[in-house]
Amino acid sequence: MDKFSNLIATRRSMRKFTTEKLTEEQKRTILRAALISPTAKNNRGWEFIAVDDPATLEALSKSREMGSGFLAEAVFAVVVLGDPSKTDCWVEDCSIAAIDMQLQAEDLGLGSCWCHQRGRFGADGKSTKQYLTELLGVPEQYEPLCIVGFGYKNMDRKPYEDDKIEWTKVHQGKF
Ligand SMILES: Cc1cc2nc3c(=O)[nH]c(=O)nc-3n(C[C@H](O)[C@H](O)[C@H](O)COP(=O)(O)O)c2cc1C
């Protein structure tokens, strides 16, 4: 298997991390992956908030009623925001930036997981958009897509295996 295929197969969602911090260079490499990801018409209708303060990571872990708890253990997170006034493809652009960061992290030997934010709510019924505005000062025009949490892996996750791949999802020539 070549290096790239291996990277794709070994990236699994990691929700348990060690306490080891990332270096500034590792964080920058992850953010660079987002900033060079492809966007519709090269509009770059995204913004990223890099977070490594433990108290803020803890607060991000409470952004949703469920599904965000793992962020409390992450040592680094990137909040991915789209600007719908700039592009109608903000969901796509932000999604690609997020997965590129995840693959970059994998290439650095780090784990990551996507925490969804768009259209989601916290335990108190507050929208994630409102929550992030209050916590991080996100201006009104931006919509949160997700938060990607990163850290050193602290959980065994097996790579995807070829014999478990759902080839029935692929339709040759026509559906
Ligand atoms: C759009 C999207 C939203 C997701 N939201 C969450 C989430 O809120 N919390 C979480 O722990 N994982 C989340 N995940 C991770 C998925 O649960 C995970 O990718 C899926 O179970 C497949 O596992 P794998 O990433 O190990 O291949 C999300 C993934 C995607 C692509």
Side-chain angles (χ1 to χ4, degrees), residues 11-15 64 66-70 95 99 102 112-117 120 145-146 157-158 160:
R11 182 227 48 87
R12 300 299 313 272
S13 290
M14 184 54 51
R15 300 181 181 87
R64 302 234 335 258
M66 279 164 60
S68 55
F70 74 90
S95 298
I99 191 63
Q102 290 198 263
S112 70
C113 188
W114 176 310
C115 173
H116 209 56
Q117 297 284 293
R120 298 292 187 266
L145 188 276
C146 65
R157 298 256 16 219
K158 301 252 176 300
Y160 279 101

Side-chain angles (χ1 to χ4, degrees), residues 17-151:
F17 305 99
T18 72
T19 53
E20 187 173 347
K21 307 267 186 236
L22 305 197
T23 64
E24 289 308 313
E25 193 184 344
Q26 285 172 319
K27 289 184 259 185
R28 195 176 162 81
T29 303
I30 289 168
L31 290 163
R32 176 179 174 273
L35 293 168
I36 61 175
S37 65
T39 59
K41 297 185 187 163
N42 208 14
N43 253 328
R44 298 182 204 130
W46 24 234
E47 301 283 330
F48 306 98
I49 305 177
V51 177
D52 56 10
D53 165 51
T56 311
L57 289 163
E58 172 78 29
L60 290 177
S61 79
K62 299 191 170 93
S63 59
R64 302 234 335 258
E65 186 169 10
M66 279 164 60
S68 55
F70 74 90
L71 289 169
E73 245 187 67
V75 293
F76 181 55
V78 179
V79 181
V80 182
L81 305 163
D83 184 351
S85 72
K86 214 167 181 186
T87 173
D88 64 349
C89 286
W90 70 270
V91 173
E92 292 83 349
D93 293 346
C94 287
S95 298
I96 292 166
I99 191 63
D100 277 9
M101 286 193 284
Q102 290 198 263
L103 290 171
Q104 180 65 77
E106 185 64 38
D107 195 46
L108 293 170
L110 301 169
S112 70
C113 188
W114 176 310
C115 173
H116 209 56
Q117 297 284 293
R118 183 176 63 88
R120 298 292 187 266
F121 297 86
D124 58 359
K126 191 179 278 185
S127 72
T128 52
K129 179 176 164 113
Q130 182 65 26
Y131 188 83
L132 294 176
T133 297
E134 289 168 17
L135 182 69
L136 307 171
V138 178
E140 173 64 26
Q141 82 198 71
Y142 299 105
E143 294 291 335
L145 188 276
C146 65
I147 303 169
V148 187
F150 302 91

